[in-house]
Amino acid sequence: MGASSDPVQFSNLRAQAQILDGDDELRHLRDEFQVPTKADIKRTTLEKQQDRNDPVSADEATSCTYLCGNSLGLQPKRTATRINQYLQTWSTQAVQGHFKPLDDSPLPTWLDADARAAKLMAPIVGADESEVAVMQTLTANLHLLMSAFYRPDPKGRHKIILESKAFPSDHFAVLSQIRHHGLSPDTSMVTIESPYSEDALITTYDIQSIISKHAADTALILLPGIQYYTGQLFDIPTITAFAHKHDIFVIWDLAHAVGNVPLHLHDWDVDAAAWCTYKYLNGGPGCIGGAFINSRNSLVSTAITDEEPERGYGQRLSGWWGNDKATRFQMATKFHPVKGAAGFQLSNPSILDITSLGASLEVFDLAGGVAPLRGKSKKLTAFLEAALALLSEDARKLFRVITPSDPDQRGAQLSLLLEDDLLNPVMKHFEEVGVVIDERKPNVIRVAPAPLYNTFADCVAFAEAFEAALLASRK
């Protein structure tokens, strides 16, 4: 393309997108989701205020371009159905809902809801069912994992390694854990940053170098599977294996990886991991989180009747929902965990949350799991990247992609670094034309085509709106 926008180029891109969308074997999954219209996202009321006699506007009939699944996934249509079934169970069965199965309900009893959710989640993270617990929220689960597996020795291993650009909540968790043990972050926290990359990308070599340098006094490593800001996918199995050679425990924050890329936590011998479920898993805002604990870290070798049963399992913060289900309701005051990740649970989980999450996990099952979704995701993001490369010269001068170009080193997301003072006018233009993406101040936008519901046409719509926004900002 030349210095200014070329409508023919966008016409060609739309034609390509139409062919790709027509050939997409997963295109039916979009119908499983509530995609807001352009009118929906502009409206300032919950209900439509349109008079019944007024003609339907173009915005009411046109879906918005939603490329923000890396922040909040869209609502599956079956979510409302499942939640209504839960509410009906509560209203008609009351407390019996905990134990009484209903013949015409697809929902488990509330006592078994967490186990069913773990069963649905296990293949998404590549784990045995017993290694997964659906519980708490992401940062709470990071704290629970660190309380169990971060046991610093001020005279030996006491450091925690994390990346310098980690999500703030991960930083806060590490800082508070270090201080909780009476240590100082100045001496017990090590951050990783690349001396070579201007875009905050960190190579596996960068990480291994820091591990080697601090191996003798490092107790724990906390890293993201996918870096939230740049969209970089880390080499989880290689980094995990390298840390294990130095006898260092690794916890992975998989907030941006789960449901986005294939994970094989058990086969990779990952120690532990935690994630949220409201991004690519579409569980809903602030929905219940998940945790993985390798089976070798959750063994229980004693019985509750033993004289000192606590000798048979690792220490952790405990609560009654981590008790063996067979003895949970005996209301004994002696804690004895069930074997596996479920033994790290504290309180009974929110059934409302688990019901919402379960609805989306059903859609993942319909898709055939993460592997086919990843295949489509790579094609979508590559098409988006190609569309951005075809923008006019004037537009291309105003941004650059800071996500790795190698498809195997990224997930769905592309992060675009804008020239100074462009973020606000660009986002204002997107709002006007019905494009929803994520911004990270002062100058980054994150664009994530989610394969469950996004289309190749969405990528073209974004590129066209982005071109117009950039050129308008410089007039």
Side-chain angles (χ1 to χ4, degrees):
M1 295 179 75
S4 59
S5 178
D6 181 357
V8 175
Q9 186 65 58
F10 285 119
S11 178
N12 291 338
L13 282 171
R14 283 192 291 271
Q16 293 176 43
Q18 186 175 11
I19 293 171
L20 290 168
D21 284 327
D23 292 339
D24 176 20
E25 295 181 354
L26 299 176
R27 62 184 180 276
H28 61 285
L29 295 172
R30 181 178 172 91
D31 292 335
E32 290 283 336
F33 290 86
Q34 300 282 7
V35 183
T37 66
K38 290 185 176 182
D40 287 334
I41 63 172
K42 292 177 181 178
R43 196 166 52 242
T44 57
T45 58
L46 186 62
E47 300 292 340
K48 297 179 182 179
Q49 303 297 310
Q50 183 177 349
D51 190 290
R52 290 183 179 181
N53 297 320
D54 291 342
V56 176
S57 68
D59 279 358
E60 287 284 0
T62 306
S63 296
C64 74
T65 301
Y66 191 89
L67 295 164
C68 205
N70 56 337
S71 184
L72 179 68
L74 291 179
Q75 182 188 124
K77 291 178 180 177
R78 62 183 63 203
T79 300
T81 301
R82 296 289 179 258
I83 288 179
N84 283 332
Q85 290 166 339
Y86 153 71
L87 292 174
Q88 189 174 1
T89 302
W90 181 16
S91 68
T92 63
Q93 301 301 313
V95 73
Q96 295 183 118
H98 284 96
F99 306 99
K100 180 181 176 182
L102 300 176
D103 294 340
D104 58 348
S105 173
L107 302 179
T109 64
W110 302 337
L111 179 65
D112 298 321
D114 56 325
R116 179 176 181 269
K119 183 176 182 178
L120 291 171
M121 185 74 76
I124 292 175
V125 298
D128 291 339
E129 184 180 334
S130 65
E131 295 176 311
V132 175
V134 175
M135 63 182 194
Q136 306 297 325
T137 52
L138 174 53
T139 303
N141 284 333
L142 288 176
H143 275 296
L144 289 173
L145 293 175
M146 284 190 278
S147 71
F149 301 114
Y150 175 55
R151 297 173 186 170
D153 176 1
K155 297 180 180 180
R157 293 177 179 266
H158 60 94
K159 292 179 179 177
I160 299 179
I161 296 175
L162 74 162
E163 47 147 352
S164 62
K165 301 290 186 181
F167 192 77
S169 196
D170 287 16
H171 264 286
F172 303 156
V174 168
L175 289 169
S176 60
Q177 284 287 331
I178 289 172
R179 290 173 177 144
H180 178 72
H181 287 279
L183 301 172
S184 168
D186 293 338
T187 54
S188 293
M189 186 173 77
V190 177
T191 57
I192 307 168
E193 51 190 324
S194 175
Y196 308 109
S197 173
E198 61 179 330
D199 295 328
L201 299 179
I202 302 173
T203 67
T204 300
Y205 175 78
D206 295 330
I207 296 170
Q208 291 174 327
S209 296
I210 290 294
I211 293 173
S212 295
K213 182 178 179 181
H214 297 275
D217 49 8
T218 293
L220 185 103
I221 299 170
L222 173 62
L223 289 173
I226 290 181
Q227 214 282 342
Y228 84 99
Y229 187 79
T230 65
Q232 179 186 6
L233 170 61
F234 285 4
D235 189 343
I236 298 174
T238 298
I239 295 167
T240 297
F242 190 83
H244 287 174
K245 287 181 181 179
H246 296 279
D247 297 321
I248 302 173
F249 196 96
V250 188
I251 298 174
W252 290 93
D253 176 344
L254 301 177
H256 286 267
V258 67
N260 183 4
V261 296
L263 298 167
H264 305 281
L265 302 185
H266 179 84
D267 291 345
W268 292 342
D269 200 28
V270 166
D271 295 308
W275 56 89
C276 56
T277 63
Y278 49 81
K279 302 180 189 298
Y280 297 99
L281 292 184
N282 315 300
C287 193
I288 195 166
F292 166 88
I293 300 169
N294 194 296
S295 57
R296 58 180 158 75
N297 297 318
S298 61
L299 298 175
V300 179
S301 61
T302 54
I304 194 171
T305 54
D306 292 350
E307 186 174 342
E308 294 182 304
E310 63 274 8
R311 289 178 175 270
Y313 58 88
Q315 293 303 305
R316 80 284 302 271
L317 294 179
S318 54
W320 81 306
W321 216 254
N323 257 337
D324 191 325
K325 192 181 296 185
T327 60
R328 184 181 297 160
F329 285 89
Q330 293 179 8
M331 310 311 287
T333 55
K334 181 186 287 188
F335 174 76
H336 194 69
V338 63
K339 178 182 176 181
F344 287 76
Q345 295 179 102
L346 298 181
S347 303
N348 51 323
S350 164
I351 303 302
L352 183 61
D353 275 31
I354 282 187
T355 302
S356 180
L357 172 61
S360 181
L361 297 182
E362 290 176 23
V363 181
F364 273 87
D365 193 45
L366 285 177
V370 177
L373 290 170
R374 174 62 165 161
K376 177 182 175 181
S377 178
K378 283 187 171 182
K379 294 176 183 177
L380 274 172
T381 303
F383 185 74
L384 173 62
E385 187 177 40
L388 293 173
L390 291 173
L391 299 188
S392 67
E393 183 180 343
D394 285 348
R396 294 200 311 272
K397 290 178 181 178
L398 300 177
F399 77 96
R400 58 188 173 86
V401 180
I402 62 173
T403 305
S405 58
D406 179 359
D408 292 326
Q409 294 185 48
R410 68 188 184 198
Q413 172 183 317
L414 291 182
S415 296
L416 313 181
L417 179 67
L418 309 183
E419 291 292 306
D420 291 344
D421 302 320
L422 285 183
L423 183 62
N424 287 340
V426 165
M427 292 301 292
K428 185 174 187 300
H429 180 83
F430 285 152
E431 184 178 350
E432 292 170 353
V433 299
V435 173
V436 182
I437 52 131
D438 180 77
E439 63 175 297
R440 293 291 149 164
K441 295 182 178 181
N443 52 7
V444 165
I445 58 175
R446 306 184 306 164
V447 189
L452 276 173
Y453 49 77
N454 280 126
T455 64
F456 292 91
D458 287 334
C459 297
V460 180
F462 169 79
E464 194 165 6
F466 189 40
E467 164 108 354
L470 291 171
L471 297 181
S473 70
R474 284 300 188 233
K475 286 183 179 179

